[in-house]
Amino acid sequence: MKFHLFLLLAIFTDAKQILSSKLIGSSEAVKERQKHRQQNIDFNAEETISGVKVQISVEISGLISKSDGMGDESSEKAKIESEFEAAIQFGQNESSNSDASSESNVENATEGGAAAAPTTGCSLNGVDLQADGFQRMCAEWPDLAPIYCYGKIIEAVNFWGVRMLFQNDSKHFVDRPLKREAKKIVEEFTSTFGGNELDVSKMNEQKVDQLAKFVRENFGRANGVLIAYTPEDWVENPPKLERIKDAEFKKWAKQLNELWKELSRKMPDLNCNPGQQNHSLICVPQPFVVPGGRFREFYYWDAYWIVKGLIASGMTTMVKNMCMNFAEMVNRFGFVPNGGRIYYDKRSQPSFFTFMVYDYFLATNDTKFLQEVLPVLEKELGHWSKNRSVEVEVGGKKQTFYQYRADSNIPRPESFCQDVQLVTNISNTQRKADIWKNVASTAESGWDFSSRFMKKDNSNKANPWNLVNLQTTDLLPVDLNALICGNLRMLGELFSKIGDNAKALAYAAKHNSFRSDFQRLFYKEEHGLWYDFNIKSGKLHEEYYGSVTVPLFTRCYDTDDVGTAERMYNRLEKVGVLKHKFGVPTSNINSTQQWDFPNIWPSLAHMLIESLRQSGNKKMEEKAKELARQWLSANHQMYQNCGQHMWEKMAADTGVPGGGGEYVPQIGFGWTNGGVLDLLVTYGDEMTLQQMPNVECKQNAVVEEPAEFPPA
């Protein structure tokens, strides 16, 4: 079955819904197709979506008999809808980047002149990622690197991705385990399709069929590697949840407590020798909690809020397990990778490991573990100092600050297609590498992606926020530097707990010095906010983003000044981010990226609430409670109305799961569960459910991964 997708201008998020009702849901269309079983039928639609005219043309061809399961109306509709699902998803991903080729979803002309399958257009066009000058990931796994990290296999699968990628997700492919030795798979691909000289865009239909067979026969299920695990310290009725006074909130908290069993994983008995490994997981010794959805491995900064929730559920053994895994990562790599995959080995995420250990110690008083892990925490801090620092003049002298700066400048394997499409119209290889480095560095921030890290293109009225204009490596991010400040403070306090007064005093002095420099560089006194600093321009980026609250959260300010929190709150009120019905958005800018308006992220919501709650300002403590009640109630309503799922993020204006960015909204969801449980326990005896505006959730049901893909 073949189909064409032509995008005249752009496809927005609601295109699928319109098309489904106009094309797929039409019983007349299905009957017409049944009437002409042996003919080619074209379905066409033109619709104005968000003020932009979109034309979709789909061609269904071939003989269909009743024996193939398509003899009835409902199954006809289901199969057409399945075909549309793939096409529409790539259209959505494409529309966010104006540099992507407008012909990337048109069928490709091959060497023989015949049309092969629909493509994504994500060809490297001859760029050799193994050439000198490229910073590649996966060096520790040389046999796996040509499959999971760079090379012709990942390029070919992504180029023909409408057919090769489950739900058109590049990440799904690089998460699939191998069915045999990596070297043999690479050898088979080279002998069948060619080596570095292969032009994936010129594969004919027969070769594409062979590629589908190659993928099906050599790769297993992405969700079939890690083992589901019930934590040994999980209990049905955690004592802390009994503090929750509101009956509906308490019932919900116990439902969320059940989710820890669904999200907990452990490694099977795998061969983790880099020379014999047949999967892309980074092996760790202890069980852990995953975020959920497509995020089927551990993640760094997600883990902090997961830990908060586990402590609320009394699961400190599981918290220790996760801290031990991170210690293993630091000892192995020098830092905690972005996530638990080999393709994340060149970038980290916001530095929360010390915060995790700090909270674990407060919950357990486990001095023995603290003594063991403190040198590891120092080692991680050393990574940021050695590999992510830059000197800036403050007060007439050079001072050290920190930035997100990944050690890779090639397409991210988990988002390979998006990264390649991004530079389609750029011919200079060095420029491509610079863009890819900024993309990876922004992913290291956890904010992938946001207008916060882009230079606005005022000449482009249709899309002024474009990922080709990321400038992350030119910025000193306020949140990262505030976290480093918090690391210094906590290390001083933790060393004092084990009686090492010399180190405790040394870190306290470092903290005081850094806090002073931090305040001078990042704080805008007239606004009462801290902003990112642009190294090139020498100026602050004076725009509201959720990151402005992090210094208050990490206490990287003069805590004797209890007016600091109130000045920050007043500024947030002035810029209008506190007026929304369901919570505080990440920014005021609607760039179509997920770390912008209208999305509320649990990490930012929790830090804002906690920063006000611990400010020492009674008025702000009450404001924290109000914001907590709003955010908790909004999440409760979304849970009830959206399939009884916990979602990764929420829209501040509508209260439905947040959208935008590179993938569809995900369920699970680790850090949402954790932030909610922590606040429910914190405010247990004084928090009541707030009546929220009605929410109508139109999210699609979760699609289960098939046993084999692509289908034969």
Side-chain angles (χ1 to χ4, degrees), residues 41-101:
I41 307 296
D42 287 340
F43 294 96
N44 291 279
E46 184 172 280
E47 190 69 43
T48 299
I49 303 170
S50 302
V52 179
K53 188 172 287 185
V54 177
Q55 181 172 321
I56 307 295
S57 174
V58 174
E59 175 186 280
I60 310 294
S61 64
L63 177 65
I64 300 177
S65 65
K66 288 187 178 181
S67 62
D68 67 9
M70 293 293 290
D72 62 278
E73 178 175 316
S74 61
S75 55
E76 284 276 357
K77 289 167 65 178
K79 190 160 186 178
I80 299 172
E81 185 168 16
S82 175
E83 300 282 351
F84 264 112
E85 182 75 35
I88 294 303
Q89 183 60 45
F90 262 110
Q92 290 172 331
N93 290 341
E94 284 274 63
S95 67
S96 64
N97 296 311
S98 63
D99 276 306
S101 169

Side-chain angles (χ1 to χ4, degrees), residues 392-395 399-402 452 476-486 488 510-525 528-533 540 547-558 564:
V392 174
E393 189 170 303
V394 178
Q399 302 293 351
T400 300
F401 295 97
Y402 303 87
R452 175 187 169 198
L476 296 180
V478 65
D479 48 356
L480 174 60
N481 283 275
L483 288 168
I484 297 297
C485 186
L488 294 170
K510 288 179 181 179
H511 170 254
N512 288 334
S513 176
F514 185 81
R515 186 184 69 182
S516 177
D517 294 333
F518 175 91
Q519 192 76 356
R520 283 201 295 268
L521 184 65
F522 294 100
Y523 193 59
K524 178 80 170 181
E525 191 166 356
L529 294 181
W530 301 265
Y531 296 111
D532 295 333
F533 181 82
L540 294 173
S547 52
V548 302
T549 69
V550 179
L552 197 69
F553 172 75
T554 66
R555 302 174 69 185
C556 194
Y557 68 101
D558 181 2
T564 302

Side-chain angles (χ1 to χ4, degrees), residues 95-99 457 460-467 469 591-592:
S95 67
S96 64
N97 296 311
S98 63
D99 276 306
D457 181 2
N460 188 339
K461 301 299 182 184
N463 184 19
W465 302 107
N466 195 300
L467 295 183
N469 297 320
S591 68
T592 75

Side-chain angles (χ1 to χ4, degrees), residues 131 251 345 489 499 519:
K251 176 184 175 183
D345 74 337
R489 174 179 61 82
Q519 192 76 356

